[in-house]
């Protein structure tokens, strides 16, 4: 077991993006890694290199028809994968598949006991549904990781914790009736922001009714609002006792994001990551991975994601 934090980097995941003037540009990976280099964490980080996901791995969460559609539209290189948020740019299939592959590599490394903590920038594409793209997200790496943990490693009770400004609807509705997918999501109130879902009353359906935690926050909510809400996330996770934690730490919840309206600082991300590491140590044999998620102000995403990696390193 290495005490180093495993951080993924590579051109294949950097390529995930939609070009100017789309807010999800392909520069986000390099902006983050430049900031991480500056932070001088060289002796507590190890770099991991992505691989493409197999079709069978994508099919753990997505429908075969949808995977085919992405493949065909990526080759054609024009049109939209959804209703107008997610363009079918050339090569998007390979980039999206590499993002998934990086997350599955991280899961393997953590489950094999080589590392306790891993961070994958660009991943955390939480809007993609089982049969469709949505909100800049092609393949839902987090949803696939849940299914992969169950199939490959027999891990059932997985906590998905999302602090991106947007509700993680692809994960929530993908497991809405599954009581073993433990779900906690802080986000800007859906009455003011895409995708419009994630009301506090949405706690799961069927056997899962009452098992999931959605906490919508008013536009302008700041660090003190974050801290108040975070106490509820901690209490929830202590109650549900997960075996593995997947964090989605979108940086679009920081003040100054061009497409959202929350006003946190990167201290929120540092606090959430440190708290989740303590919970992972208590219930999950230390096992946690974090995915970068959204974040369209470059300075914010570089700082927030770097603080998450720093918290992971400090928590070893
Ligand atoms: Zn977002």
């Amino acid at each position: 077991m290495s005490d180093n934090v495993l951080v993924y980097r590579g051109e294949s995941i950097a390529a995930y993006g939609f070009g100017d003037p789309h807010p999800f540009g392909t520069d986000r990976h390099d902006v983050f890694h430049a900031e991480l280099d500056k932070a001088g964490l060289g002796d507590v980080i190890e770099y991991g290199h992505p691989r493409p996901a197999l079709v069978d791995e994508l099919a753990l969460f997505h429908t075969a028809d949808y995977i085919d559609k992405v493949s065909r539209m990526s080759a054609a290189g024009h049109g939209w994968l959804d209703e107008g948020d997610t363009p079918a740019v050339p090569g998007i299939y390979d980039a999206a598949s590499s993002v998934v592959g990086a997350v599955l590599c991280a899961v393997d490394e953590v489950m094999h006991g080589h590392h306790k903590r891993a961070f994958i920038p660009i991943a955390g594409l939480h809007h993609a549904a089982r049969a469709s793209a949505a909100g800049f997200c092609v393949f839902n790496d987090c949803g696939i990781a849940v299914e992969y943990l169950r199939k490959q490693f027999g891990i059932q009770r997985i906590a998905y914790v999302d602090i991106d400004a947007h509700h993680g609807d692809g994960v929530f509705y993908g497991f809405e009736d599954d009581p073993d997918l433990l779900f906690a999501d802080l986000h800007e109130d859906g009455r003011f922001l895409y995708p419009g879902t994630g009301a506090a009353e949405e706690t799961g359906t069927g056997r899962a009714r009452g098992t999931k935690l959605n906490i919508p926050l008013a536009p302008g909510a700041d660090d003190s609002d974050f801290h108040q809400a975070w106490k509820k996330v901690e209490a929830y996770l202590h109650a549900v006792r997960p075996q593995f934690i997947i964090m989605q730490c979108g940086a679009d919840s920081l003040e100054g994001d061009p497409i959202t309206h929350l006003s946190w600082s990167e201290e929120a991300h540092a606090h959430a990551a440190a708290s989740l590491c303590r919970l992972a140590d208590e219930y999950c044999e230390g096992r946690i991975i974090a995915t970068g998620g959204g974040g369209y102000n470059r300075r914010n995403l570089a700082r927030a994601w770097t603080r998450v990696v720093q918290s992971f390193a400090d928590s070893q």
Side-chain angles (χ1 to χ4, degrees):
M1 165 82 72
S2 163
D3 282 346
N4 290 345
V5 181
L6 183 60
V7 179
Y8 279 79
R9 73 175 173 192
E11 285 173 18
S12 61
I13 59 171
Y16 186 90
F18 305 97
D20 252 0
H22 196 287
F24 203 127
T26 52
D27 58 320
R28 297 169 76 248
H29 170 280
D30 289 359
V31 167
F32 159 64
H33 272 291
E35 179 79 13
L36 187 64
D37 288 348
K38 272 200 301 185
L41 300 172
D43 50 350
V44 292
I45 288 174
E46 247 171 76
Y47 290 105
H49 303 287
R51 65 165 172 86
L54 306 171
V55 173
D56 285 351
E57 292 168 338
L58 302 176
L60 291 170
F61 181 84
H62 293 291
T63 63
D65 284 352
Y66 174 60
I67 297 167
D68 277 351
K69 173 183 168 180
V70 176
S71 176
R72 275 186 282 107
M73 291 193 70
S74 173
H78 57 81
W80 297 93
L81 289 164
D82 54 13
E83 306 302 316
D85 288 323
T86 316
V89 294
I92 195 66
Y93 180 96
D94 291 334
S97 163
S98 292
V99 171
V100 173
V103 171
L104 300 185
C105 283
V107 167
D108 283 338
E109 289 293 315
V110 170
M111 287 308 302
H112 290 138
H114 302 153
H115 295 268
K116 284 201 295 187
R117 332 281 202 212
F119 180 81
I120 311 99
I122 314 305
L125 301 175
H126 60 169
H127 296 304
R130 288 185 183 268
S132 61
F136 319 161
C137 301
V138 176
F139 294 135
N140 195 320
D141 47 278
C142 294
I144 294 166
V146 168
E147 302 287 9
Y148 184 80
L149 276 160
R150 290 174 172 175
K151 177 165 175 274
Q152 293 295 115
F153 300 103
I155 298 281
Q156 289 301 322
R157 292 177 64 74
I158 299 156
Y160 172 83
V161 182
D162 184 326
I163 61 169
D164 189 288
H166 302 94
H167 181 229
D169 56 341
V171 179
F172 184 80
Y173 295 111
F175 298 93
E176 193 179 15
D177 58 358
D178 177 341
D180 287 333
L181 190 279
L182 312 164
F183 182 96
D185 192 324
L186 306 189
H187 49 269
E188 182 175 337
D189 190 316
R191 288 173 294 179
F192 305 99
L193 187 68
Y194 177 93
T197 53
E201 297 73 31
E202 292 193 79
T203 63
T205 56
R207 286 190 311 132
R209 186 174 298 279
T211 66
K212 301 185 201 297
L213 182 63
N214 276 304
I215 305 182
L217 300 172
D222 61 11
D223 281 2
S224 71
D225 300 306
F226 161 81
H227 282 291
Q228 218 173 354
W230 188 256
K231 290 192 183 94
K232 296 179 193 164
V233 174
E234 286 181 331
Y236 169 78
L237 292 170
H238 281 297
V240 297
R241 305 170 73 92
Q243 298 169 281
F244 192 104
I245 297 174
I246 300 172
M247 179 185 195
Q248 199 275 22
C249 57
D252 47 11
S253 37
L254 267 57
E255 179 154 33
D257 190 87
I259 65 171
T260 73
H261 322 97
L262 295 180
S263 295
W264 306 353
S265 75
E266 62 265 28
E267 297 303 323
H269 286 59
H271 181 85
S275 163
L276 291 176
C277 285
R278 286 192 295 273
L279 283 149
D281 286 341
E282 191 165 351
Y283 300 112
C284 312
E285 299 174 35
R287 300 178 297 218
I288 177 170
I289 65 168
T291 59
Y296 306 101
N297 175 314
R298 288 352 188 210
R299 185 165 168 268
N300 283 352
L301 81 81
R303 289 183 171 195
W305 293 354
T306 297
R307 291 299 300 278
V308 168
V309 174
Q310 175 95 58
S311 285
F312 278 14
D314 291 346
S315 74
Q316 296 278 1

PDB file of all heavy atoms in Angstrom, residues 126-127 164-167 193 248 250-253 259-260 293-296, ligand 1:
ATOM      1  N   HIS A 126     -21.771  13.482 -14.454  1.00  0.00           N
ATOM      2  CA  HIS A 126     -22.895  12.974 -13.654  1.00  0.00           C
ATOM      3  C   HIS A 126     -24.272  13.183 -14.250  1.00  0.00           C
ATOM      4  O   HIS A 126     -25.249  12.744 -13.674  1.00  0.00           O
ATOM      5  CB  HIS A 126     -22.840  13.586 -12.245  1.00  0.00           C
ATOM      6  CG  HIS A 126     -22.931  15.086 -12.194  1.00  0.00           C
ATOM      7  ND1 HIS A 126     -23.119  15.768 -11.016  1.00  0.00           N
ATOM      8  CD2 HIS A 126     -22.861  16.038 -13.171  1.00  0.00           C
ATOM      9  CE1 HIS A 126     -23.164  17.075 -11.259  1.00  0.00           C
ATOM     10  NE2 HIS A 126     -22.997  17.263 -12.550  1.00  0.00           N
ATOM     11  N   HIS A 127     -24.354  13.885 -15.395  1.00  0.00           N
ATOM     12  CA  HIS A 127     -25.679  14.088 -15.992  1.00  0.00           C
ATOM     13  C   HIS A 127     -26.064  12.980 -16.978  1.00  0.00           C
ATOM     14  O   HIS A 127     -27.250  12.820 -17.280  1.00  0.00           O
ATOM     15  CB  HIS A 127     -25.754  15.433 -16.719  1.00  0.00           C
ATOM     16  CG  HIS A 127     -25.598  16.619 -15.819  1.00  0.00           C
ATOM     17  ND1 HIS A 127     -26.403  16.824 -14.721  1.00  0.00           N
ATOM     18  CD2 HIS A 127     -24.714  17.657 -15.853  1.00  0.00           C
ATOM     19  CE1 HIS A 127     -26.025  17.953 -14.105  1.00  0.00           C
ATOM     20  NE2 HIS A 127     -24.997  18.470 -14.774  1.00  0.00           N
ATOM     21  N   ASP A 164     -20.863  19.312  -6.761  1.00  0.00           N
ATOM     22  CA  ASP A 164     -20.990  20.128  -7.974  1.00  0.00           C
ATOM     23  C   ASP A 164     -22.234  21.029  -7.815  1.00  0.00           C
ATOM     24  O   ASP A 164     -23.199  20.658  -7.149  1.00  0.00           O
ATOM     25  CB  ASP A 164     -21.168  19.159  -9.154  1.00  0.00           C
ATOM     26  CG  ASP A 164     -21.107  19.795 -10.525  1.00  0.00           C
ATOM     27  OD1 ASP A 164     -22.074  20.507 -10.903  1.00  0.00           O
ATOM     28  OD2 ASP A 164     -20.123  19.553 -11.240  1.00  0.00           O
ATOM     29  N   ALA A 165     -22.217  22.199  -8.447  1.00  0.00           N
ATOM     30  CA  ALA A 165     -23.372  23.108  -8.340  1.00  0.00           C
ATOM     31  C   ALA A 165     -24.645  22.502  -8.937  1.00  0.00           C
ATOM     32  O   ALA A 165     -25.751  22.873  -8.558  1.00  0.00           O
ATOM     33  CB  ALA A 165     -23.069  24.434  -9.033  1.00  0.00           C
ATOM     34  N   HIS A 166     -24.471  21.590  -9.896  1.00  0.00           N
ATOM     35  CA  HIS A 166     -25.629  20.975 -10.553  1.00  0.00           C
ATOM     36  C   HIS A 166     -25.995  19.659  -9.857  1.00  0.00           C
ATOM     37  O   HIS A 166     -25.109  18.929  -9.403  1.00  0.00           O
ATOM     38  CB  HIS A 166     -25.322  20.693 -12.027  1.00  0.00           C
ATOM     39  CG  HIS A 166     -24.938  21.915 -12.815  1.00  0.00           C
ATOM     40  ND1 HIS A 166     -23.625  22.296 -12.996  1.00  0.00           N
ATOM     41  CD2 HIS A 166     -25.703  22.828 -13.460  1.00  0.00           C
ATOM     42  CE1 HIS A 166     -23.598  23.415 -13.735  1.00  0.00           C
ATOM     43  NE2 HIS A 166     -24.840  23.759 -14.025  1.00  0.00           N
ATOM     44  N   HIS A 167     -27.266  19.351  -9.835  1.00  0.00           N
ATOM     45  CA  HIS A 167     -27.718  18.066  -9.291  1.00  0.00           C
ATOM     46  C   HIS A 167     -27.177  16.910 -10.122  1.00  0.00           C
ATOM     47  O   HIS A 167     -27.202  16.967 -11.355  1.00  0.00           O
ATOM     48  CB  HIS A 167     -29.258  18.028  -9.314  1.00  0.00           C
ATOM     49  CG  HIS A 167     -29.840  16.774  -8.751  1.00  0.00           C
ATOM     50  ND1 HIS A 167     -30.807  16.041  -9.401  1.00  0.00           N
ATOM     51  CD2 HIS A 167     -29.582  16.119  -7.590  1.00  0.00           C
ATOM     52  CE1 HIS A 167     -31.124  14.994  -8.646  1.00  0.00           C
ATOM     53  NE2 HIS A 167     -30.405  15.020  -7.543  1.00  0.00           N
ATOM     54  N   LEU A 193     -31.442  26.502 -11.613  1.00  0.00           N
ATOM     55  CA  LEU A 193     -30.297  25.982 -12.368  1.00  0.00           C
ATOM     56  C   LEU A 193     -30.606  24.620 -12.976  1.00  0.00           C
ATOM     57  O   LEU A 193     -31.308  23.807 -12.374  1.00  0.00           O
ATOM     58  CB  LEU A 193     -29.073  25.855 -11.422  1.00  0.00           C
ATOM     59  CG  LEU A 193     -27.749  25.479 -12.090  1.00  0.00           C
ATOM     60  CD1 LEU A 193     -27.248  26.626 -12.977  1.00  0.00           C
ATOM     61  CD2 LEU A 193     -26.680  25.123 -11.055  1.00  0.00           C
ATOM     62  N   GLN A 248     -17.845  13.445  -6.177  1.00  0.00           N
ATOM     63  CA  GLN A 248     -17.867  14.248  -7.398  1.00  0.00           C
ATOM     64  C   GLN A 248     -17.697  15.680  -6.916  1.00  0.00           C
ATOM     65  O   GLN A 248     -18.572  16.228  -6.252  1.00  0.00           O
ATOM     66  CB  GLN A 248     -19.183  14.043  -8.151  1.00  0.00           C
ATOM     67  CG  GLN A 248     -19.160  14.438  -9.626  1.00  0.00           C
ATOM     68  CD  GLN A 248     -19.421  15.915  -9.887  1.00  0.00           C
ATOM     69  OE1 GLN A 248     -19.239  16.758  -9.018  1.00  0.00           O
ATOM     70  NE2 GLN A 248     -19.844  16.228 -11.100  1.00  0.00           N
ATOM     71  N   GLY A 250     -17.247  18.821  -8.354  1.00  0.00           N
ATOM     72  CA  GLY A 250     -17.373  19.899  -9.336  1.00  0.00           C
ATOM     73  C   GLY A 250     -17.037  21.248  -8.724  1.00  0.00           C
ATOM     74  O   GLY A 250     -17.479  21.568  -7.621  1.00  0.00           O
ATOM     75  N   ALA A 251     -16.246  22.032  -9.467  1.00  0.00           N
ATOM     76  CA  ALA A 251     -15.781  23.325  -8.958  1.00  0.00           C
ATOM     77  C   ALA A 251     -16.700  24.467  -9.387  1.00  0.00           C
ATOM     78  O   ALA A 251     -16.400  25.632  -9.127  1.00  0.00           O
ATOM     79  CB  ALA A 251     -14.358  23.582  -9.452  1.00  0.00           C
ATOM     80  N   ASP A 252     -17.823  24.132 -10.009  1.00  0.00           N
ATOM     81  CA  ASP A 252     -18.747  25.196 -10.424  1.00  0.00           C
ATOM     82  C   ASP A 252     -19.608  25.696  -9.261  1.00  0.00           C
ATOM     83  O   ASP A 252     -20.424  26.600  -9.434  1.00  0.00           O
ATOM     84  CB  ASP A 252     -19.618  24.754 -11.617  1.00  0.00           C
ATOM     85  CG  ASP A 252     -20.230  23.386 -11.451  1.00  0.00           C
ATOM     86  OD1 ASP A 252     -20.182  22.824 -10.333  1.00  0.00           O
ATOM     87  OD2 ASP A 252     -20.763  22.871 -12.461  1.00  0.00           O
ATOM     88  N   SER A 253     -19.393  25.141  -8.068  1.00  0.00           N
ATOM     89  CA  SER A 253     -20.067  25.661  -6.871  1.00  0.00           C
ATOM     90  C   SER A 253     -19.280  26.813  -6.229  1.00  0.00           C
ATOM     91  O   SER A 253     -19.722  27.371  -5.232  1.00  0.00           O
ATOM     92  CB  SER A 253     -20.292  24.517  -5.872  1.00  0.00           C
ATOM     93  OG  SER A 253     -19.215  23.610  -5.871  1.00  0.00           O
ATOM     94  N   ILE A 259     -21.517  29.890 -15.215  1.00  0.00           N
ATOM     95  CA  ILE A 259     -22.846  29.356 -15.555  1.00  0.00           C
ATOM     96  C   ILE A 259     -23.676  28.948 -14.337  1.00  0.00           C
ATOM     97  O   ILE A 259     -24.746  28.367 -14.485  1.00  0.00           O
ATOM     98  CB  ILE A 259     -22.759  28.180 -16.570  1.00  0.00           C
ATOM     99  CG1 ILE A 259     -22.054  26.955 -15.980  1.00  0.00           C
ATOM    100  CG2 ILE A 259     -22.067  28.608 -17.853  1.00  0.00           C
ATOM    101  CD1 ILE A 259     -22.145  25.711 -16.886  1.00  0.00           C
ATOM    102  N   THR A 260     -23.197  29.221 -13.110  1.00  0.00           N
ATOM    103  CA  THR A 260     -23.972  28.870 -11.911  1.00  0.00           C
ATOM    104  C   THR A 260     -23.972  30.062 -10.954  1.00  0.00           C
ATOM    105  O   THR A 260     -23.364  31.098 -11.252  1.00  0.00           O
ATOM    106  CB  THR A 260     -23.358  27.662 -11.188  1.00  0.00           C
ATOM    107  OG1 THR A 260     -22.157  28.093 -10.533  1.00  0.00           O
ATOM    108  CG2 THR A 260     -23.032  26.522 -12.139  1.00  0.00           C
ATOM    109  N   GLY A 293     -15.513  16.579 -12.016  1.00  0.00           N
ATOM    110  CA  GLY A 293     -16.837  17.149 -12.276  1.00  0.00           C
ATOM    111  C   GLY A 293     -16.757  18.475 -13.010  1.00  0.00           C
ATOM    112  O   GLY A 293     -15.779  18.775 -13.708  1.00  0.00           O
ATOM    113  N   GLY A 294     -17.790  19.299 -12.824  1.00  0.00           N
ATOM    114  CA  GLY A 294     -17.885  20.560 -13.552  1.00  0.00           C
ATOM    115  C   GLY A 294     -16.930  21.612 -13.009  1.00  0.00           C
ATOM    116  O   GLY A 294     -16.072  21.345 -12.168  1.00  0.00           O
ATOM    117  N   GLY A 295     -17.124  22.847 -13.488  1.00  0.00           N
ATOM    118  CA  GLY A 295     -16.225  23.943 -13.110  1.00  0.00           C
ATOM    119  C   GLY A 295     -15.761  24.628 -14.374  1.00  0.00           C
ATOM    120  O   GLY A 295     -15.006  24.026 -15.146  1.00  0.00           O
ATOM    121  N   TYR A 296     -16.236  25.850 -14.599  1.00  0.00           N
ATOM    122  CA  TYR A 296     -16.013  26.501 -15.894  1.00  0.00           C
ATOM    123  C   TYR A 296     -15.199  27.779 -15.755  1.00  0.00           C
ATOM    124  O   TYR A 296     -14.789  28.357 -16.756  1.00  0.00           O
ATOM    125  CB  TYR A 296     -17.366  26.672 -16.593  1.00  0.00           C
ATOM    126  CG  TYR A 296     -18.018  25.305 -16.637  1.00  0.00           C
ATOM    127  CD1 TYR A 296     -19.011  24.931 -15.738  1.00  0.00           C
ATOM    128  CD2 TYR A 296     -17.499  24.328 -17.483  1.00  0.00           C
ATOM    129  CE1 TYR A 296     -19.508  23.635 -15.717  1.00  0.00           C
ATOM    130  CE2 TYR A 296     -17.987  23.034 -17.472  1.00  0.00           C
ATOM    131  CZ  TYR A 296     -18.989  22.695 -16.587  1.00  0.00           C
ATOM    132  OH  TYR A 296     -19.457  21.415 -16.552  1.00  0.00           O
TER     133      TYR A 296
HETATM  134 ZN1  LIG B   1     -21.884  21.271 -12.675  1.00  0.00          ZN
END
